[in-house]
Amino acid sequence: MNELLKRHSVSLGFLVILLVSLYFLQSGPSANAIHEFGGATMGTTYSVKVVDDRESASAQLLALEIAEMLKSLDREVMSTYSQDSELTEINKAAINEKLVLSTEMTEVLSLALDVNALTEGAFDVTVGPLVNRWGFGPEQRHPTRIPDQAEIDALRARIGSQYLAVDKTAATLLKKADVYIDLSGIAKGYAVDQLANYLDGRGYTSYFIEVGGELRIKGYKPGEQTWVPAIETPMDTAPQVHNIFYAKGESIAVAGSGDYRNYFDLDGVHYSHEIDPATGRPVTHNLAAVYVIDASAARADALATAFMVLGTQRGFALAQRIGLAAYFISKREGQEGFDDLYTSQFAHYLSPN
Ligand code: ADP
Ligand code: MG
């Protein structure tokens, strides 16, 4: 996990903490408390805020249970860093062998395939070998030599979601080629959904969950105040607020992707961690960041990654076609500043009423 990505993940949470504490300064103590806890997971950080008037002992237990859930989801299921995760086992397994999947892996792979189809291949979890070659994989070693076309073509021969045959009912996977799966573009969102389901099951009606910048929000803060997440300015500086929006008591997921925290520069070229499976190269267009609001954080996470690959024009057209709340921030050509473009579904969240 590199420092850049870490900083990115902390930023949204940081802003929200600021907003939450501002609220407390204004309104004083309330009958309902916000229990807040967090830690490290998936090579990044997480934070959970739950509105709750139960005893603080139950809040401590909740914090422990959530830490445990994230730990096992990461180390035992989704991680390419962990040597004995289910994903590592899948990546090591032989081709044409039926592999039995956990419920979590079945869900995340099925959704990944759905988003792959929806985005015409822009989101593709089999892009792993290219992610690694470009220096954004578990090793995180930025290359000193850019791969030539022959090397890219050789890697691309192993890439394609058509090589993944997932049987959702039987919970099995068959690899039809020597694929290597990378779930980094969807796993954090999936983790957020798992935590939200868990809190829902426990009867919590108001919370703010964040894993590496991906969110699930529900209900209101004490005093019927809406949660106010911030969109950060897509620059590799200390976090700055670019815009804010209002959850309005709705149950929503928010995910963002950007080219400005996890990248390297070589010979004057900016290489970001979003890889276009069609070219085998990091994307080069002027889209700096995308935010997606959806019911599912996993889907929002994957779609935000796909939009970074598709670029502003194609991404916006797709968001409009499927009626998705999406917000695109593009760098201005040849000058400072950004242009914002968002769908009407996102505009709904930009005004407080
Ligand atoms: P972040 O990790 O900053 O939230 P994303 O959700 O966009 O960003 O995930 C980016 C990660 O997903 C990359 O670091 C890489 O591991 C992986 N990835 C890169 N390109 C693609 C792609 N086209 N489809 C699926 N995953 C990708
Ligand atoms: Mg993503």
Side-chain angles (χ1 to χ4, degrees), residues 313-329:
Q313 262 190 327
R314 289 166 68 204
F316 186 72
L318 174 61
Q320 274 194 314
R321 185 161 62 75
I322 62 177
L324 189 75
Y327 191 114
F328 298 75
I329 308 173

Side-chain angles (χ1 to χ4, degrees), residues 5 8 121-127 131 136-137 140 182-186 188 212 214 256-258 262 273-277 301-302 304-306 308-309:
L5 203 60
H8 167 56
F123 182 80
D124 194 330
V125 291
T126 68
V127 82
V131 171
F136 299 108
Q140 283 278 352
D182 171 8
L183 296 174
S184 310
I186 190 169
K188 293 189 289 283
E214 326 298 6
S257 279
N262 193 3
H273 67 145
E274 319 285 3
I275 312 288
D276 185 348
D301 192 359
T305 305
M308 281 308 298
V309 170

